[in-house]
Amino acid sequence: MSLGEDKYWYNLKTGEVERGFESPAPDRAGPFDTAEEAAKAPQVIAERSRAWAEEEAEEDR
C-alpha cells in the first residue's frame, strides 16, 4: 500500500470522509489517522487559516 491509501481524507466537495484515494487530490484534505479526525477537517482548516492570518498581520506591523 502506498503512503496515504490507508489513511482517511475529507472530501471538500461532498463533505464526506473517505478512506484512501477515492477522490481527486484537489478535492481532498488530509491525510488523517482516523475517520473522526477527518470529519473535523473543516474546523481544523478554519483554525489554521485564522492562525496564519494572525501571524501575517503581526509580520506586517
Side-chain angles (χ1 to χ4, degrees):
M1 214 178 267
S2 69
L3 186 63
E5 287 182 12
D6 61 339
K7 299 287 186 174
Y8 293 89
W9 302 82
Y10 182 82
N11 185 309
L12 298 166
K13 283 192 171 184
T14 67
E16 299 292 322
V17 172
E18 303 172 345
R19 183 150 192 207
F21 303 127
E22 294 181 28
S23 301
D27 297 341
R28 294 191 313 254
F32 298 92
D33 290 327
T34 67
E36 292 78 18
E37 290 174 349
K40 295 177 184 174
Q43 293 90 347
V44 171
I45 292 167
E47 290 169 10
R48 289 180 182 168
S49 293
R50 207 172 14 259
W52 290 331
E54 289 173 6
E55 286 177 19
E56 286 181 359
E58 284 295 318
E59 290 173 3
D60 289 343
R61 289 184 184 179

